Amino acid sequence: MQTLTLPSSQQFRAPAPMDTSSRADAGSSASLAHAMQSTELLRGNKVVEIVHNGNVYRLQATRLGKLILTK
């Protein structure tokens, strides 16, 4: 299992913009400033741990292609 530590500052930038043409709520470009593909986070794993503000969260991809985030 891989553990990721996300920055708490606003300096994080996604490496490539996502195609949001099919999203119904894609009205604000500000909400997409930090968007990234789930494959970039998972990097071939089914589960990754994310450390945020000292707490560990678990991001899991299901067999049906859904994502589950638990604390």
Side-chain angles (χ1 to χ4, degrees):
M1 186 178 324
Q2 183 178 16
T3 302
L4 302 174
T5 303
L6 298 179
S8 59
S9 68
Q10 295 296 330
Q11 297 177 8
F12 178 78
R13 296 199 189 269
M18 288 179 35
D19 180 317
T20 58
S21 58
S22 63
R23 287 185 56 179
D25 60 341
S28 171
S29 63
S31 66
L32 300 176
H34 301 292
M36 60 190 310
Q37 296 291 328
S38 61
T39 54
E40 294 178 62
L41 289 172
L42 294 169
R43 297 183 187 167
N45 297 301
K46 292 289 182 186
V47 177
V48 293
E49 289 182 339
I50 302 168
V51 179
H52 177 69
N53 290 336
N55 295 308
V56 178
Y57 295 83
R58 180 179 163 112
L59 181 67
Q60 179 178 353
T62 69
R63 286 181 281 162
L64 298 176
K66 308 285 183 173
L67 291 175
I68 300 171
L69 181 65
T70 55
K71 185 172 180 185

